[in-house]
């Protein structure tokens, strides 16, 4: 447990979050980076195959090719690794405590995150009090933290996961061992002290033209999502009044918003289904919420859900045999466990 002084207050626990990326960075990456830089009390260790710069002391870039990363995995895991692409490499996330151990020695907690999101104030939600109580935080690949100790770094050795190491590291199918059928199930089966509160804004993939939350968080007919001075919020209008709900991050999965405006010299970003609008100030009373984030009618919700399910069926039918086997196994275990944490 190592203390650090950030903004005049002491934090007992030091957090290092790993990001891996191979290939061209998406257009929205500068928004992720700006929000990460704002979290001065959290370190981000970015491993990618080209130069990226940041003047912020909490951002640490390590240039590393995909081939070099595979070699590191093989060395640390003591086994053959055959990831065909960067997407499949996400299957290694559960093992980052071992793979990147040489970079994580000074941290009390390590984690990983996606970059199709914008962070709010991480320490508002992951406090020292909670870090003292829990060994793992969150249940999805967008952001997940683990206590940096022998048990959590070798969580995959505990019973509960449904994949073999051969399937994860050599198999061609994407297994996603960092979520329900892997780490989450292991935590449940072994009574790991695990923080699962939904304090993030995860936008429903059914809707391409609107930002709607799921995981049980209430949506409002008039709602927009903003990043302002280091915080991420949903701003909504209800009964003629402005309300707000703060989140640890906003995740726009499956969308590719483009940046509009001067991100380097803005205090706020308005998140829309298509863009990230950099603005100097926001007057919520004057904004047209429904224009920025169109509401979804009940009829449209049903149709979007049907369209998404048709798309997933097509994906399954066109997938290779190994992928089909993994998907079927996941569904069977979901049913056998009588538990679905995605509700």
């Amino acid at each position: 447990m190592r203390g650090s002084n950030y903004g005049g207050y002491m934090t007992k626990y030091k957090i290092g979050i790993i990001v891996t990326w191979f290939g061209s960075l998406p257009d929205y990456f500068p928004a992720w980076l700006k929000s990460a830089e704002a979290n001065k009390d959290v370190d981000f260790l970015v491993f990618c195959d080209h130069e990226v710069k940041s003047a912020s002391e909490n951002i640490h870039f390590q240039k590393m090719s995909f081939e070099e990363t595979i070699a590191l995995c093989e060395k640390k895991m003591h086994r053959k690794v055959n990831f065909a692409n960067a997407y499949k490499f996400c299957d290694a996330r559960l093992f980052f405590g071992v793979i990147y151990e040489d970079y994580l020695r000074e941290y009390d907690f390590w984690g990983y995150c996606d970059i199709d999101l914008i962070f709010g104030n991480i320490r508002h939600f992951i406090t020292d009090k909670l870090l003292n109580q829990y060994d793992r935080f969150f249940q999805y690949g967008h952001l997940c933290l683990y206590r940096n100790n022998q048990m959590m770094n070798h969580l995959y050795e505990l019973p509960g996961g449904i994949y073999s190491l051969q399937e994860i590291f050599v198999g061609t199918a994407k297994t996603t061992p960092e979520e329900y059928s892997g780490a989450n199930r292991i935590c449940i089966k072994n009574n790991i002290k695990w923080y699962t509160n939904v304090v993030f804004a995860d936008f429903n993939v059914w809707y391409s033209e609107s930002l709607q939350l799921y995981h049980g968080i209430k949506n409002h007919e008039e709602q927009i999502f903003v990043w302002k001075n280091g915080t991420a919020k949903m701003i909504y209008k209800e009964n003629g009044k402005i309300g707000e709900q703060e989140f640890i991050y906003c995740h726009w999965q499956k969308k590719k918003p483009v940046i509009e405006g001067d991100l380097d010299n803005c205090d706020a970003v308005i998140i829309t289904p298509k863009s990230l609008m950099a603005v100097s100030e926001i007057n919520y009373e004057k904004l047209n919420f429904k224009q920025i984030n169109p509401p979804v009618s009940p009829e449209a919700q049903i149709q979007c859900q049907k369209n998404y399910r048709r798309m997933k069926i097509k994906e399954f039918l066109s997938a290779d045999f190994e992928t089909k086997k993994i998907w079927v196994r996941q569904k069977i275990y979901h049913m056998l466990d009588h538990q679905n944490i995605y509700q």
Side-chain angles (χ1 to χ4, degrees):
M1 192 160 57
R2 296 164 282 275
S4 300
N5 192 319
Y6 295 102
Y9 67 94
M10 291 295 295
T11 56
K12 291 164 57 178
Y13 297 100
K14 193 168 183 181
I15 300 172
I17 298 176
I18 295 172
V19 174
T20 59
W21 192 272
F22 306 101
S24 299
L25 287 161
D27 292 339
Y28 51 70
F29 177 75
W32 176 89
L33 181 58
K34 185 180 181 73
S35 71
E37 289 173 338
N39 282 279
K40 301 298 184 184
D41 44 7
V42 176
D43 281 359
F44 292 87
L45 291 69
V46 184
F47 297 85
C48 59
D49 54 1
H50 54 281
E51 295 287 346
V52 182
K53 297 183 183 295
S54 172
S56 185
E57 293 183 356
N58 69 317
I59 309 295
H60 307 276
F61 284 103
Q62 177 70 44
K63 188 174 182 181
M64 187 177 291
S65 70
F66 187 67
E67 292 73 22
E68 289 172 329
T69 303
I70 297 302
L72 177 63
C73 290
E74 291 184 333
K75 175 183 176 182
K76 292 296 184 177
M77 295 304 301
H78 305 290
R79 63 181 303 111
K80 176 68 177 176
V81 174
N82 184 31
F83 292 137
N85 51 55
Y87 181 59
K88 171 64 175 171
F89 179 73
C90 290
D91 281 3
R93 283 174 154 182
L94 180 58
F95 309 87
F96 278 4
V98 174
I99 295 170
Y100 294 106
E101 61 180 350
D102 296 333
Y103 300 88
L104 296 171
R105 299 193 189 282
E106 66 180 281
Y107 298 102
D108 302 291
F109 283 81
W110 62 269
Y112 44 77
C113 73
D114 291 343
I115 62 173
D116 55 347
L117 56 82
I118 194 165
F119 281 112
N121 190 321
I122 294 173
R123 292 280 189 168
H124 273 189
F125 296 90
I126 304 178
T127 63
D128 276 345
K129 181 179 179 180
L130 291 176
L131 289 167
N132 192 52
Q133 292 177 315
Y134 296 97
D135 293 321
R136 184 175 179 234
F137 287 79
F138 308 129
Q139 60 266 53
Y140 301 103
H142 336 146
L143 174 66
C144 199
L145 299 181
Y146 300 80
R147 189 178 298 278
N148 193 8
N149 62 20
Q150 179 70 16
M151 180 182 73
M152 298 308 294
N153 291 351
H154 293 263
L155 188 68
Y156 57 89
E157 295 178 0
L158 298 177
I162 71 170
Y163 316 110
S164 68
L165 292 180
Q166 181 74 8
E167 287 174 318
I168 294 170
F169 285 104
V170 180
T172 58
K174 183 78 168 59
T175 57
T176 319
E178 76 271 27
E179 294 193 355
Y180 179 71
S181 303
N184 297 0
R185 196 169 189 274
I186 293 170
C187 286
I188 292 169
K189 298 295 183 181
N190 294 276
N191 297 313
I192 299 296
K193 295 177 181 178
W194 177 29
Y195 183 83
T196 60
N197 288 16
V198 178
V199 294
F200 46 84
D202 193 15
F203 301 136
N204 196 322
V205 295
W206 295 350
Y207 312 117
S208 60
E209 305 296 327
S210 182
L211 302 179
Q212 301 292 315
L213 300 172
Y214 54 167
H215 306 301
I217 298 181
K218 180 181 178 181
N219 285 289
H220 305 265
E221 184 175 3
E222 294 188 74
Q223 62 183 27
I224 61 172
F225 297 87
V226 301
W227 178 91
K228 186 175 181 180
N229 295 323
T231 62
K233 298 179 180 180
M234 172 174 64
I235 308 297
Y236 59 89
K237 293 181 180 179
E238 197 166 81
N239 299 321
K241 296 182 179 180
I242 298 289
E244 65 178 48
Q245 182 173 354
E246 186 179 351
F247 296 105
I248 191 171
Y249 60 84
C250 295
H251 179 220
W252 53 76
Q253 58 175 323
K254 309 301 182 185
K255 295 178 175 62
K256 297 180 180 180
V258 298
I259 294 173
E260 297 180 358
D262 185 1
L263 190 67
D264 292 332
N265 298 293
C266 75
D267 294 322
V269 176
I270 301 174
I271 305 166
T272 83
K274 303 293 185 182
S275 66
L276 303 171
M277 301 165 54
V279 296
S280 57
E281 59 182 62
I282 306 177
N283 186 332
Y284 298 124
E285 297 289 348
K286 293 184 178 180
L287 287 180
N288 186 329
F289 282 33
K290 290 185 177 180
Q291 185 178 48
I292 294 171
N293 185 35
V296 183
S297 68
E299 295 78 17
Q301 290 180 25
I302 293 171
Q303 188 58 52
C304 288
Q305 183 177 358
K306 287 181 179 178
N307 292 342
Y308 184 76
R309 286 176 175 169
R310 288 194 195 101
M311 181 190 72
K312 298 304 290 185
I313 290 171
K314 287 182 180 178
E315 285 183 7
F316 177 80
L317 293 176
S318 61
D320 59 59
F321 181 66
E322 291 300 316
T323 299
K324 284 188 174 76
K325 285 201 307 181
I326 291 292
W327 286 353
V328 168
R329 190 189 311 167
Q330 290 170 346
K331 292 296 183 184
I332 290 173
Y333 272 91
H334 272 274
M335 291 186 290
L336 291 177
D337 289 340
H338 299 290
Q339 180 173 228
N340 187 338
I341 64 172
Y342 297 104
Q343 295 297 325

